[in-house]
Amino acid sequence: NAGVTQTPKFQVLKTGQSMTLQCAQDMNHEYMSWYRQDPGMGLRLIHYSVGAGITDQGEVPNGYNVSRSTTEDFPLRLLSAAPSQTSVYFCASRKAAGGNTIYFGEGSWLTVV
Amino acid sequence: KNEVEQSPQNLTAQEGEFITINCSYSVGISALHWLQQHPGGGIVSLFMLSSGKKKHGRLIATINIQEKHSSLHITASHPRDSAVYICAPTRHSGGGADGLTFGKGTHLIIQP
């Protein structure tokens, strides 16, 4: 049981480049989310999904795009990378809303130069 | 306005000390998670609780739903407990977003 698999772990991008962070879970979870973690700011929600075919914006969605074509996969796309997107990104999943255990990916350290 | 307040923000203690981290929140919740993040590492869920108290080894979590307050205790602390501990109340379903709110974390260092 792999849990939540997130790749890549480290990435350096040049300003203006695009890339996709991959996230996959094998627990048949409905809820999947992407967060960014910046010093002193805690985890902030970028986009989330409550099931295949359904996505919605979180607190800081600008510059990011997501899709949920299957229950398992929830990729995060950076459309045109900016230095302000330098951050640590975490994907998370859980079975449903409410009191269900949260599972996080190992994180992706992204630097935009 | 912060929906979740954790205290202290930073804590340095000696090995063996009893540690308490507090979390206060302002939203109605269905459950609260305590998360642990080691330096440079991923995030793991330590506890999910909706009432009373839970214990895993040297870790104890308590919650008072009426007072909107939770605490995480570590008994006989050890240097390997050094990590950031994050409180994450979970709102009832609906109301937008994915229901999770996060504290900014408590950075704990246990010195040998």
mmCIF file of all heavy atoms in Angstrom, chain A residues 5-55:
data_model
loop_
_atom_site.group_PDB
_atom_site.id
_atom_site.type_symbol
_atom_site.label_atom_id
_atom_site.label_comp_id
_atom_site.label_asym_id
_atom_site.label_seq_id
_atom_site.Cartn_x
_atom_site.Cartn_y
_atom_site.Cartn_z
ATOM 1 N N THR A 5 1.631 9.155 -3.331
ATOM 2 C CA THR A 5 2.910 9.270 -4.018
ATOM 3 C C THR A 5 2.968 10.599 -4.746
ATOM 4 O O THR A 5 2.102 10.908 -5.569
ATOM 5 C CB THR A 5 3.084 8.120 -5.025
ATOM 6 O OG1 THR A 5 2.972 6.870 -4.339
ATOM 7 C CG2 THR A 5 4.462 8.208 -5.675
ATOM 8 N N GLN A 6 4.006 11.365 -4.450
ATOM 9 C CA GLN A 6 4.138 12.717 -4.986
ATOM 10 C C GLN A 6 5.503 12.847 -5.644
ATOM 11 O O GLN A 6 6.524 12.518 -5.038
ATOM 12 C CB GLN A 6 4.003 13.717 -3.831
ATOM 13 C CG GLN A 6 3.950 15.147 -4.221
ATOM 14 C CD GLN A 6 3.827 16.071 -3.016
ATOM 15 O OE1 GLN A 6 3.287 15.695 -1.975
ATOM 16 N NE2 GLN A 6 4.327 17.275 -3.160
ATOM 17 N N THR A 7 5.514 13.349 -6.875
ATOM 18 C CA THR A 7 6.787 13.551 -7.582
ATOM 19 C C THR A 7 6.743 14.840 -8.406
ATOM 20 O O THR A 7 5.645 15.289 -8.798
ATOM 21 C CB THR A 7 7.056 12.371 -8.553
ATOM 22 O OG1 THR A 7 5.972 12.267 -9.485
ATOM 23 C CG2 THR A 7 7.238 11.063 -7.819
ATOM 24 N N PRO A 8 7.917 15.468 -8.672
ATOM 25 C CA PRO A 8 9.240 15.102 -8.159
ATOM 26 C C PRO A 8 9.425 15.611 -6.735
ATOM 27 O O PRO A 8 8.645 16.417 -6.250
ATOM 28 C CB PRO A 8 10.172 15.847 -9.114
ATOM 29 C CG PRO A 8 9.412 17.078 -9.490
ATOM 30 C CD PRO A 8 7.968 16.662 -9.544
ATOM 31 N N LYS A 9 10.487 15.198 -6.081
ATOM 32 C CA LYS A 9 10.782 15.664 -4.741
ATOM 33 C C LYS A 9 11.487 17.022 -4.793
ATOM 34 O O LYS A 9 11.256 17.862 -3.943
ATOM 35 C CB LYS A 9 11.648 14.674 -3.996
ATOM 36 C CG LYS A 9 11.885 15.062 -2.554
ATOM 37 C CD LYS A 9 11.990 13.851 -1.650
ATOM 38 C CE LYS A 9 12.184 14.323 -0.205
ATOM 39 N NZ LYS A 9 11.395 13.593 0.741
ATOM 40 N N PHE A 10 12.324 17.220 -5.757
ATOM 41 C CA PHE A 10 13.035 18.488 -5.915
ATOM 42 C C PHE A 10 12.974 18.920 -7.380
ATOM 43 O O PHE A 10 13.074 18.087 -8.275
ATOM 44 C CB PHE A 10 14.511 18.366 -5.503
ATOM 45 C CG PHE A 10 14.713 17.965 -4.071
ATOM 46 C CD1 PHE A 10 15.009 16.656 -3.746
ATOM 47 C CD2 PHE A 10 14.615 18.900 -3.052
ATOM 48 C CE1 PHE A 10 15.195 16.274 -2.418
ATOM 49 C CE2 PHE A 10 14.805 18.531 -1.729
ATOM 50 C CZ PHE A 10 15.088 17.215 -1.418
ATOM 51 N N GLN A 11 12.821 20.222 -7.596
ATOM 52 C CA GLN A 11 12.792 20.745 -8.956
ATOM 53 C C GLN A 11 13.235 22.198 -8.943
ATOM 54 O O GLN A 11 12.822 22.968 -8.084
ATOM 55 C CB GLN A 11 11.379 20.648 -9.546
ATOM 56 C CG GLN A 11 11.255 21.088 -10.983
ATOM 57 C CD GLN A 11 11.868 20.102 -11.953
ATOM 58 O OE1 GLN A 11 11.635 18.897 -11.906
ATOM 59 N NE2 GLN A 11 12.683 20.625 -12.854
ATOM 60 N N VAL A 12 14.082 22.556 -9.908
ATOM 61 C CA VAL A 12 14.459 23.941 -10.123
ATOM 62 C C VAL A 12 13.916 24.339 -11.493
ATOM 63 O O VAL A 12 14.147 23.646 -12.491
ATOM 64 C CB VAL A 12 15.979 24.144 -10.072
ATOM 65 C CG1 VAL A 12 16.331 25.597 -10.359
ATOM 66 C CG2 VAL A 12 16.528 23.721 -8.718
ATOM 67 N N LEU A 13 13.205 25.436 -11.529
ATOM 68 C CA LEU A 13 12.617 25.934 -12.766
ATOM 69 C C LEU A 13 13.106 27.338 -13.057
ATOM 70 O O LEU A 13 13.411 28.097 -12.117
ATOM 71 C CB LEU A 13 11.085 26.016 -12.637
ATOM 72 C CG LEU A 13 10.247 24.767 -12.771
ATOM 73 C CD1 LEU A 13 8.780 25.123 -12.588
ATOM 74 C CD2 LEU A 13 10.473 24.081 -14.095
ATOM 75 N N LYS A 14 13.116 27.683 -14.316
ATOM 76 C CA LYS A 14 13.383 29.065 -14.683
ATOM 77 C C LYS A 14 12.041 29.802 -14.794
ATOM 78 O O LYS A 14 11.011 29.204 -15.131
ATOM 79 C CB LYS A 14 14.127 29.132 -16.019
ATOM 80 C CG LYS A 14 15.538 28.561 -15.936
ATOM 81 C CD LYS A 14 16.256 28.712 -17.258
ATOM 82 C CE LYS A 14 17.675 28.176 -17.144
ATOM 83 N NZ LYS A 14 18.411 28.252 -18.430
ATOM 84 N N THR A 15 12.083 31.087 -14.500
ATOM 85 C CA THR A 15 10.874 31.906 -14.618
ATOM 86 C C THR A 15 10.261 31.734 -16.009
ATOM 87 O O THR A 15 10.964 31.811 -17.021
ATOM 88 C CB THR A 15 11.214 33.385 -14.378
ATOM 89 O OG1 THR A 15 11.694 33.534 -13.038
ATOM 90 C CG2 THR A 15 9.991 34.259 -14.563
ATOM 91 N N GLY A 16 8.951 31.506 -16.023
ATOM 92 C CA GLY A 16 8.247 31.338 -17.291
ATOM 93 C C GLY A 16 8.053 29.902 -17.726
ATOM 94 O O GLY A 16 7.193 29.612 -18.565
ATOM 95 N N GLN A 17 8.847 28.985 -17.169
ATOM 96 C CA GLN A 17 8.677 27.578 -17.523
ATOM 97 C C GLN A 17 7.410 27.015 -16.903
ATOM 98 O O GLN A 17 6.897 27.544 -15.910
ATOM 99 C CB GLN A 17 9.891 26.761 -17.066
ATOM 100 C CG GLN A 17 11.135 26.967 -17.894
ATOM 101 C CD GLN A 17 12.273 26.042 -17.476
ATOM 102 O OE1 GLN A 17 12.494 25.803 -16.290
ATOM 103 N NE2 GLN A 17 13.002 25.534 -18.458
ATOM 104 N N SER A 18 6.935 25.944 -17.473
ATOM 105 C CA SER A 18 5.778 25.255 -16.911
ATOM 106 C C SER A 18 6.208 23.866 -16.448
ATOM 107 O O SER A 18 7.226 23.327 -16.906
ATOM 108 C CB SER A 18 4.661 25.135 -17.947
ATOM 109 O OG SER A 18 5.095 24.358 -19.043
ATOM 110 N N MET A 19 5.469 23.330 -15.511
ATOM 111 C CA MET A 19 5.743 21.978 -15.063
ATOM 112 C C MET A 19 4.514 21.402 -14.355
ATOM 113 O O MET A 19 3.578 22.148 -14.027
ATOM 114 C CB MET A 19 6.936 21.920 -14.113
ATOM 115 C CG MET A 19 6.639 22.383 -12.710
ATOM 116 S SD MET A 19 7.815 21.771 -11.480
ATOM 117 C CE MET A 19 7.549 20.014 -11.545
ATOM 118 N N THR A 20 4.532 20.115 -14.161
ATOM 119 C CA THR A 20 3.441 19.432 -13.475
ATOM 120 C C THR A 20 3.982 18.647 -12.295
ATOM 121 O O THR A 20 4.943 17.874 -12.436
ATOM 122 C CB THR A 20 2.705 18.472 -14.427
ATOM 123 O OG1 THR A 20 2.148 19.210 -15.506
ATOM 124 C CG2 THR A 20 1.586 17.737 -13.694
ATOM 125 N N LEU A 21 3.373 18.862 -11.132
ATOM 126 C CA LEU A 21 3.636 18.033 -9.958
ATOM 127 C C LEU A 21 2.601 16.910 -9.958
ATOM 128 O O LEU A 21 1.399 17.174 -10.067
ATOM 129 C CB LEU A 21 3.521 18.848 -8.673
ATOM 130 C CG LEU A 21 4.480 20.031 -8.527
ATOM 131 C CD1 LEU A 21 4.177 20.784 -7.236
ATOM 132 C CD2 LEU A 21 5.921 19.569 -8.533
ATOM 133 N N GLN A 22 3.107 15.694 -9.829
ATOM 134 C CA GLN A 22 2.218 14.547 -9.885
ATOM 135 C C GLN A 22 1.833 14.107 -8.475
ATOM 136 O O GLN A 22 2.640 14.162 -7.551
ATOM 137 C CB GLN A 22 2.894 13.378 -10.604
ATOM 138 C CG GLN A 22 3.322 13.668 -12.015
ATOM 139 C CD GLN A 22 2.152 13.838 -12.975
ATOM 140 O OE1 GLN A 22 1.010 13.469 -12.676
ATOM 141 N NE2 GLN A 22 2.436 14.395 -14.151
ATOM 142 N N CYS A 23 0.595 13.667 -8.334
ATOM 143 C CA CYS A 23 0.113 13.126 -7.062
ATOM 144 C C CYS A 23 -0.814 11.955 -7.364
ATOM 145 O O CYS A 23 -1.756 12.098 -8.165
ATOM 146 C CB CYS A 23 -0.620 14.184 -6.255
ATOM 147 S SG CYS A 23 -1.290 13.546 -4.699
ATOM 148 N N ALA A 24 -0.546 10.835 -6.732
ATOM 149 C CA ALA A 24 -1.394 9.665 -6.914
ATOM 150 C C ALA A 24 -1.619 8.990 -5.568
ATOM 151 O O ALA A 24 -0.710 8.931 -4.744
ATOM 152 C CB ALA A 24 -0.748 8.683 -7.889
ATOM 153 N N GLN A 25 -2.844 8.495 -5.361
ATOM 154 C CA GLN A 25 -3.131 7.735 -4.131
ATOM 155 C C GLN A 25 -3.845 6.437 -4.518
ATOM 156 O O GLN A 25 -4.594 6.388 -5.502
ATOM 157 C CB GLN A 25 -3.960 8.571 -3.137
ATOM 158 C CG GLN A 25 -5.203 9.216 -3.694
ATOM 159 C CD GLN A 25 -6.454 8.367 -3.625
ATOM 160 O OE1 GLN A 25 -6.488 7.329 -2.953
ATOM 161 N NE2 GLN A 25 -7.506 8.799 -4.299
ATOM 162 N N ASP A 26 -3.585 5.416 -3.719
ATOM 163 C CA ASP A 26 -4.135 4.091 -4.022
ATOM 164 C C ASP A 26 -5.109 3.631 -2.940
ATOM 165 O O ASP A 26 -5.296 2.437 -2.732
ATOM 166 C CB ASP A 26 -2.999 3.081 -4.206
ATOM 167 C CG ASP A 26 -2.139 2.935 -2.965
ATOM 168 O OD1 ASP A 26 -2.394 3.629 -1.953
ATOM 169 O OD2 ASP A 26 -1.186 2.125 -2.999
ATOM 170 N N MET A 27 -5.726 4.577 -2.253
ATOM 171 C CA MET A 27 -6.625 4.252 -1.145
ATOM 172 C C MET A 27 -8.083 4.504 -1.497
ATOM 173 O O MET A 27 -8.952 4.452 -0.616
ATOM 174 C CB MET A 27 -6.212 5.079 0.086
ATOM 175 C CG MET A 27 -4.799 4.748 0.566
ATOM 176 S SD MET A 27 -4.195 5.875 1.848
ATOM 177 C CE MET A 27 -3.731 7.287 0.860
ATOM 178 N N ASN A 28 -8.354 4.828 -2.755
ATOM 179 C CA ASN A 28 -9.713 5.106 -3.217
ATOM 180 C C ASN A 28 -10.339 6.280 -2.461
ATOM 181 O O ASN A 28 -11.542 6.279 -2.169
ATOM 182 C CB ASN A 28 -10.592 3.857 -3.092
ATOM 183 C CG ASN A 28 -11.809 3.911 -4.004
ATOM 184 O OD1 ASN A 28 -11.750 4.481 -5.094
ATOM 185 N ND2 ASN A 28 -12.916 3.351 -3.556
ATOM 186 N N HIS A 29 -9.500 7.282 -2.153
ATOM 187 C CA HIS A 29 -9.995 8.452 -1.436
ATOM 188 C C HIS A 29 -10.695 9.412 -2.383
ATOM 189 O O HIS A 29 -10.231 9.651 -3.504
ATOM 190 C CB HIS A 29 -8.828 9.174 -0.745
ATOM 191 C CG HIS A 29 -8.333 8.469 0.461
ATOM 192 N ND1 HIS A 29 -7.187 8.854 1.133
ATOM 193 C CD2 HIS A 29 -8.824 7.406 1.145
ATOM 194 C CE1 HIS A 29 -7.006 8.065 2.174
ATOM 195 N NE2 HIS A 29 -7.978 7.178 2.200
ATOM 196 N N GLU A 30 -11.791 9.975 -1.904
ATOM 197 C CA GLU A 30 -12.520 10.958 -2.720
ATOM 198 C C GLU A 30 -11.847 12.337 -2.660
ATOM 199 O O GLU A 30 -11.771 13.031 -3.645
ATOM 200 C CB GLU A 30 -13.965 11.056 -2.242
ATOM 201 C CG GLU A 30 -14.792 9.802 -2.499
ATOM 202 C CD GLU A 30 -14.907 9.497 -3.977
ATOM 203 O OE1 GLU A 30 -15.071 10.443 -4.776
ATOM 204 O OE2 GLU A 30 -14.822 8.306 -4.356
ATOM 205 N N TYR A 31 -11.422 12.742 -1.468
ATOM 206 C CA TYR A 31 -10.888 14.086 -1.274
ATOM 207 C C TYR A 31 -9.386 14.108 -1.537
ATOM 208 O O TYR A 31 -8.627 13.330 -0.962
ATOM 209 C CB TYR A 31 -11.140 14.561 0.156
ATOM 210 C CG TYR A 31 -12.492 15.190 0.384
ATOM 211 C CD1 TYR A 31 -13.665 14.554 0.018
ATOM 212 C CD2 TYR A 31 -12.589 16.435 1.000
ATOM 213 C CE1 TYR A 31 -14.897 15.131 0.228
ATOM 214 C CE2 TYR A 31 -13.821 17.029 1.226
ATOM 215 C CZ TYR A 31 -14.972 16.373 0.837
ATOM 216 O OH TYR A 31 -16.198 16.946 1.063
ATOM 217 N N MET A 32 -8.979 15.024 -2.428
ATOM 218 C CA MET A 32 -7.552 15.273 -2.637
ATOM 219 C C MET A 32 -7.328 16.775 -2.691
ATOM 220 O O MET A 32 -8.187 17.521 -3.172
ATOM 221 C CB MET A 32 -7.059 14.614 -3.929
ATOM 222 C CG MET A 32 -7.149 13.099 -3.905
ATOM 223 S SD MET A 32 -6.413 12.295 -5.330
ATOM 224 C CE MET A 32 -4.663 12.455 -4.980
ATOM 225 N N SER A 33 -6.168 17.203 -2.173
ATOM 226 C CA SER A 33 -5.879 18.634 -2.058
ATOM 227 C C SER A 33 -4.409 18.887 -2.350
ATOM 228 O O SER A 33 -3.566 18.010 -2.118
ATOM 229 C CB SER A 33 -6.188 19.146 -0.653
ATOM 230 O OG SER A 33 -7.537 18.928 -0.299
ATOM 231 N N TRP A 34 -4.134 20.086 -2.806
ATOM 232 C CA TRP A 34 -2.759 20.571 -2.947
ATOM 233 C C TRP A 34 -2.575 21.779 -2.020
ATOM 234 O O TRP A 34 -3.415 22.698 -2.008
ATOM 235 C CB TRP A 34 -2.463 21.002 -4.377
ATOM 236 C CG TRP A 34 -2.056 19.884 -5.267
ATOM 237 C CD1 TRP A 34 -2.802 19.255 -6.220
ATOM 238 C CD2 TRP A 34 -0.769 19.255 -5.307
ATOM 239 N NE1 TRP A 34 -2.073 18.276 -6.843
ATOM 240 C CE2 TRP A 34 -0.817 18.258 -6.296
ATOM 241 C CE3 TRP A 34 0.430 19.446 -4.602
ATOM 242 C CZ2 TRP A 34 0.282 17.449 -6.600
ATOM 243 C CZ3 TRP A 34 1.513 18.649 -4.900
ATOM 244 C CH2 TRP A 34 1.429 17.657 -5.897
ATOM 245 N N TYR A 35 -1.458 21.765 -1.276
ATOM 246 C CA TYR A 35 -1.110 22.864 -0.392
ATOM 247 C C TYR A 35 0.290 23.347 -0.728
ATOM 248 O O TYR A 35 1.123 22.595 -1.222
ATOM 249 C CB TYR A 35 -1.106 22.407 1.073
ATOM 250 C CG TYR A 35 -2.403 21.822 1.550
ATOM 251 C CD1 TYR A 35 -2.606 20.448 1.544
ATOM 252 C CD2 TYR A 35 -3.425 22.643 2.021
ATOM 253 C CE1 TYR A 35 -3.802 19.899 1.977
ATOM 254 C CE2 TYR A 35 -4.620 22.098 2.463
ATOM 255 C CZ TYR A 35 -4.797 20.730 2.434
ATOM 256 O OH TYR A 35 -5.981 20.194 2.872
ATOM 257 N N ARG A 36 0.535 24.595 -0.400
ATOM 258 C CA ARG A 36 1.903 25.077 -0.396
ATOM 259 C C ARG A 36 2.246 25.511 1.019
ATOM 260 O O ARG A 36 1.366 25.965 1.782
ATOM 261 C CB ARG A 36 2.114 26.217 -1.393
ATOM 262 C CG ARG A 36 1.273 27.446 -1.210
ATOM 263 C CD ARG A 36 1.631 28.529 -2.248
ATOM 264 N NE ARG A 36 2.943 29.100 -1.997
ATOM 265 C CZ ARG A 36 3.561 29.942 -2.837
ATOM 266 N NH1 ARG A 36 2.982 30.288 -3.991
ATOM 267 N NH2 ARG A 36 4.747 30.431 -2.537
ATOM 268 N N GLN A 37 3.502 25.321 1.366
ATOM 269 C CA GLN A 37 3.976 25.634 2.709
ATOM 270 C C GLN A 37 5.123 26.620 2.601
ATOM 271 O O GLN A 37 6.169 26.312 2.014
ATOM 272 C CB GLN A 37 4.420 24.370 3.437
ATOM 273 C CG GLN A 37 4.782 24.590 4.893
ATOM 274 C CD GLN A 37 5.233 23.310 5.574
ATOM 275 O OE1 GLN A 37 5.997 22.531 5.012
ATOM 276 N NE2 GLN A 37 4.754 23.080 6.797
ATOM 277 N N ASP A 38 4.944 27.778 3.171
ATOM 278 C CA ASP A 38 5.947 28.827 3.162
ATOM 279 C C ASP A 38 6.297 29.194 4.596
ATOM 280 O O ASP A 38 5.427 29.115 5.486
ATOM 281 C CB ASP A 38 5.419 30.053 2.411
ATOM 282 C CG ASP A 38 5.057 29.722 0.973
ATOM 283 O OD1 ASP A 38 5.999 29.451 0.205
ATOM 284 O OD2 ASP A 38 3.866 29.706 0.634
ATOM 285 N N PRO A 39 7.533 29.622 4.831
ATOM 286 C CA PRO A 39 7.959 29.936 6.206
ATOM 287 C C PRO A 39 7.030 30.945 6.864
ATOM 288 O O PRO A 39 6.698 31.978 6.281
ATOM 289 C CB PRO A 39 9.361 30.527 5.999
ATOM 290 C CG PRO A 39 9.833 29.920 4.717
ATOM 291 C CD PRO A 39 8.616 29.788 3.854
ATOM 292 N N GLY A 40 6.588 30.642 8.073
ATOM 293 C CA GLY A 40 5.765 31.547 8.854
ATOM 294 C C GLY A 40 4.307 31.618 8.435
ATOM 295 O O GLY A 40 3.528 32.352 9.036
ATOM 296 N N MET A 41 3.934 30.852 7.399
ATOM 297 C CA MET A 41 2.567 30.977 6.895
ATOM 298 C C MET A 41 1.766 29.690 7.008
ATOM 299 O O MET A 41 0.579 29.680 6.734
ATOM 300 C CB MET A 41 2.574 31.441 5.438
ATOM 301 C CG MET A 41 3.298 32.755 5.259
ATOM 302 S SD MET A 41 2.987 33.509 3.684
ATOM 303 C CE MET A 41 1.305 34.056 3.913
ATOM 304 N N GLY A 42 2.370 28.623 7.370
ATOM 305 C CA GLY A 42 1.622 27.384 7.475
ATOM 306 C C GLY A 42 1.210 26.852 6.108
ATOM 307 O O GLY A 42 1.645 27.327 5.062
ATOM 308 N N LEU A 43 0.354 25.881 6.124
ATOM 309 C CA LEU A 43 -0.138 25.244 4.902
ATOM 310 C C LEU A 43 -1.304 26.049 4.335
ATOM 311 O O LEU A 43 -2.256 26.364 5.055
ATOM 312 C CB LEU A 43 -0.602 23.818 5.215
ATOM 313 C CG LEU A 43 0.513 22.817 5.512
ATOM 314 C CD1 LEU A 43 -0.031 21.630 6.284
ATOM 315 C CD2 LEU A 43 1.184 22.371 4.232
ATOM 316 N N ARG A 44 -1.209 26.355 3.062
ATOM 317 C CA ARG A 44 -2.294 27.094 2.400
ATOM 318 C C ARG A 44 -2.828 26.278 1.233
ATOM 319 O O ARG A 44 -2.066 25.727 0.445
ATOM 320 C CB ARG A 44 -1.797 28.457 1.924
ATOM 321 C CG ARG A 44 -1.454 29.411 3.065
ATOM 322 C CD ARG A 44 -1.076 30.795 2.534
ATOM 323 N NE ARG A 44 0.180 30.766 1.795
ATOM 324 C CZ ARG A 44 0.617 31.771 1.032
ATOM 325 N NH1 ARG A 44 -0.118 32.865 0.897
ATOM 326 N NH2 ARG A 44 1.774 31.675 0.405
ATOM 327 N N LEU A 45 -4.139 26.249 1.120
ATOM 328 C CA LEU A 45 -4.805 25.426 0.118
ATOM 329 C C LEU A 45 -4.742 26.094 -1.253
ATOM 330 O O LEU A 45 -5.129 27.248 -1.423
ATOM 331 C CB LEU A 45 -6.261 25.214 0.542
ATOM 332 C CG LEU A 45 -7.139 24.385 -0.380
ATOM 333 C CD1 LEU A 45 -6.644 22.940 -0.436
ATOM 334 C CD2 LEU A 45 -8.590 24.440 0.109
ATOM 335 N N ILE A 46 -4.284 25.318 -2.245
ATOM 336 C CA ILE A 46 -4.200 25.843 -3.616
ATOM 337 C C ILE A 46 -5.456 25.448 -4.403
ATOM 338 O O ILE A 46 -6.201 26.287 -4.887
ATOM 339 C CB ILE A 46 -2.941 25.298 -4.325
ATOM 340 C CG1 ILE A 46 -1.677 25.619 -3.532
ATOM 341 C CG2 ILE A 46 -2.832 25.894 -5.736
ATOM 342 C CD1 ILE A 46 -0.426 24.934 -4.075
ATOM 343 N N HIS A 47 -5.643 24.152 -4.551
ATOM 344 C CA HIS A 47 -6.830 23.587 -5.208
ATOM 345 C C HIS A 47 -7.199 22.298 -4.494
ATOM 346 O O HIS A 47 -6.358 21.668 -3.857
ATOM 347 C CB HIS A 47 -6.547 23.262 -6.680
ATOM 348 C CG HIS A 47 -6.485 24.426 -7.600
ATOM 349 N ND1 HIS A 47 -7.602 25.105 -8.034
ATOM 350 C CD2 HIS A 47 -5.417 25.044 -8.178
ATOM 351 C CE1 HIS A 47 -7.232 26.079 -8.852
ATOM 352 N NE2 HIS A 47 -5.916 26.067 -8.955
ATOM 353 N N TYR A 48 -8.457 21.916 -4.660
ATOM 354 C CA TYR A 48 -8.874 20.661 -4.070
ATOM 355 C C TYR A 48 -9.912 19.985 -4.960
ATOM 356 O O TYR A 48 -10.466 20.605 -5.891
ATOM 357 C CB TYR A 48 -9.422 20.861 -2.649
ATOM 358 C CG TYR A 48 -10.724 21.618 -2.575
ATOM 359 C CD1 TYR A 48 -11.932 20.952 -2.382
ATOM 360 C CD2 TYR A 48 -10.745 23.007 -2.676
ATOM 361 C CE1 TYR A 48 -13.127 21.647 -2.290
ATOM 362 C CE2 TYR A 48 -11.931 23.712 -2.602
ATOM 363 C CZ TYR A 48 -13.112 23.027 -2.405
ATOM 364 O OH TYR A 48 -14.301 23.717 -2.327
ATOM 365 N N SER A 49 -10.157 18.717 -4.649
ATOM 366 C CA SER A 49 -11.127 17.943 -5.411
ATOM 367 C C SER A 49 -11.884 17.023 -4.454
ATOM 368 O O SER A 49 -11.275 16.418 -3.570
ATOM 369 C CB SER A 49 -10.415 17.109 -6.471
ATOM 370 O OG SER A 49 -11.300 16.175 -7.046
ATOM 371 N N VAL A 50 -13.192 16.943 -4.648
ATOM 372 C CA VAL A 50 -14.010 16.064 -3.799
ATOM 373 C C VAL A 50 -14.420 14.796 -4.534
ATOM 374 O O VAL A 50 -15.224 14.011 -4.019
ATOM 375 C CB VAL A 50 -15.246 16.799 -3.228
ATOM 376 C CG1 VAL A 50 -14.798 17.973 -2.369
ATOM 377 C CG2 VAL A 50 -16.165 17.258 -4.339
ATOM 378 N N GLY A 51 -13.883 14.609 -5.726
ATOM 379 C CA GLY A 51 -14.161 13.395 -6.476
ATOM 380 C C GLY A 51 -13.728 13.572 -7.920
ATOM 381 O O GLY A 51 -13.458 14.692 -8.376
ATOM 382 N N ALA A 52 -13.655 12.471 -8.645
ATOM 383 C CA ALA A 52 -13.253 12.517 -10.060
ATOM 384 C C ALA A 52 -14.160 13.471 -10.824
ATOM 385 O O ALA A 52 -15.390 13.435 -10.677
ATOM 386 C CB ALA A 52 -13.295 11.122 -10.657
ATOM 387 N N GLY A 53 -13.538 14.334 -11.612
ATOM 388 C CA GLY A 53 -14.271 15.284 -12.423
ATOM 389 C C GLY A 53 -14.672 16.566 -11.720
ATOM 390 O O GLY A 53 -15.251 17.465 -12.334
ATOM 391 N N ILE A 54 -14.339 16.675 -10.427
ATOM 392 C CA ILE A 54 -14.746 17.842 -9.638
ATOM 393 C C ILE A 54 -13.510 18.480 -9.013
ATOM 394 O O ILE A 54 -12.785 17.819 -8.268
ATOM 395 C CB ILE A 54 -15.712 17.448 -8.503
ATOM 396 C CG1 ILE A 54 -16.911 16.672 -9.062
ATOM 397 C CG2 ILE A 54 -16.165 18.685 -7.738
ATOM 398 C CD1 ILE A 54 -17.745 16.023 -7.983
ATOM 399 N N THR A 55 -13.274 19.748 -9.349
ATOM 400 C CA THR A 55 -12.179 20.483 -8.716
ATOM 401 C C THR A 55 -12.666 21.871 -8.329
ATOM 402 O O THR A 55 -13.652 22.372 -8.886
ATOM 403 C CB THR A 55 -10.960 20.628 -9.651
ATOM 404 O OG1 THR A 55 -11.330 21.400 -10.797
ATOM 405 C CG2 THR A 55 -10.442 19.269 -10.101
#
